[in-house]
Each structure stands twice: as C-alpha cells, then as structure tokens.
Amino acid sequence: SSLVEIVTGSSRRASRGRVRCDVAAIGGVRAPPDLLVVVLWNVTGPPAERGGISDVASTEEFQRLTAAGGPPTLAFYTAPWCGPCQEVAPHIDDISGRLEGRHLRILRIDVDAMHNLAREQGIKAVPQFEVHREGHVVERLAGCGPEAVAEAAARHAADYAEMLKKKEER
C-alpha cells in the first residue's frame, strides 16, 4: 500500500520515518509559501509492524491510537514555529526507526492544528511528550533532552514486549 502526506509550504519541512523532503528546495527551485506538495512513500507491512511516526489529524484518531488494547504510545506535541521542537525532531525520528513497531507507537501532534486536543491533554508548552498505555497517560516528559525521551520509549516498549511474551507463554 502507499501513504500520501500533504504538506503546505508554511511548514517548510516534512518528514516521516527516515525520508525527508525540504519543501523550500525541491528540484533546486525556491518554493513559494503557499506551495502544496504531495509526498508519496511506499509502505510495506501493516501499521502495527512498520516504523514511522503517525501524524494525528483528528481527536478521534488520537483516541483510537491511544486506546486500550494496543502497544504503548509516545505522543510528541510539537509546532512548526518551535525551535526546540525542530531540534528534537530528528531524535524522535531516530527513536521511531529503532523502536516503533509491534511494541511501541509514536504519534506527532501539531498543537496549532490540533489546539483542542492539546488543550484537552493539558499541553501548555512544546515540545512535550506523553506515554499512553491502555488508554491512560502513564508518563509525561517536558523540558528534557532526547536521551530521556529515548529511555522512556525503550523502557515502555520493553515492558510491553515482556508482557506479550508472558501472555504467549500461558
């Protein structure tokens, strides 16, 4: 199957997994701010098995992806104008490439586009991270470096993998 992502020129940079597209310099031509770019990625495997950060487009999607029954979810609250968010984003892409799959899901929430969701979740500053498990927030990370986020993601993924292993042994 294929994944289609639409990016406006105002966000200037789009990324998903290890693929990056610099909107301002496609084909060496400077892009106007209102340019609309469609980026296609070939995706293999079902969503639970492939890596890649999921960009949340609705409150319903967020609730579905953080509901009970799935792997722990690392929610990354960000904004295109946020310098620290842009600095930590490559680290989150790296965490996604190493850990996301059957044992961990990573979501990216743009607080400008999803301001009601951000308010409901109590997000007051970005970047901020939450780990959701069984439909509940079990850990919040704010004002920390990428190492702390990587440690939390690895810990929750390992805990979930251990739980699945014990379930299979029964």
Side-chain angles (χ1 to χ4, degrees):
S1 64
S2 293
L3 175 70
V4 177
E5 186 169 318
I6 300 173
V7 180
T8 63
S10 62
S11 70
R12 305 313 293 172
R13 183 173 286 279
S15 66
R16 181 149 180 97
R18 291 191 171 102
V19 178
R20 293 200 181 280
C21 174
D22 190 347
V23 177
I26 295 175
V29 177
R30 184 123 178 98
D34 58 344
L35 175 70
L36 184 64
V37 178
V38 178
V39 182
L40 297 174
W41 288 281
N42 188 20
V43 178
T44 58
E49 293 177 9
R50 70 171 189 261
I53 300 171
S54 298
D55 291 301
V56 175
S58 70
T59 300
E60 294 76 22
E61 179 183 24
F62 177 83
Q63 290 169 343
R64 180 179 54 79
L65 292 171
T66 59
T73 304
L74 176 67
F76 171 30
Y77 294 90
T78 184
W81 47 262
C82 169
C85 297
Q86 305 314 312
E87 289 174 16
V88 77
H91 298 283
I92 304 309
D93 288 342
D94 180 59
I95 293 167
S96 172
R98 288 184 292 116
L99 297 175
E100 189 173 30
R102 183 170 183 228
H103 302 123
L104 182 72
R105 178 183 295 140
I106 301 179
L107 308 179
R108 180 174 29 231
I109 300 100
D110 180 335
V111 297
D112 288 342
M114 300 296 300
H115 59 277
N116 288 336
L117 174 63
R119 186 175 54 247
E120 288 169 13
Q121 294 298 312
I123 305 302
K124 297 189 181 354
V126 290
Q128 186 164 327
F129 301 88
E130 293 177 335
V131 179
H132 293 255
R133 182 101 186 251
E134 297 298 321
H136 303 283
V137 176
V138 295
E139 188 169 353
R140 293 181 199 272
L141 300 136
C144 60
E147 299 84 12
V149 177
E151 184 277 327
R155 182 170 26 87
H156 287 281
D159 289 349
Y160 187 73
E162 184 67 26
M163 186 217 44
L164 289 179
K165 183 179 176 184
K166 286 180 181 177
K167 242 184 197 180
E168 289 172 2
E169 290 174 355
R170 289 182 195 163

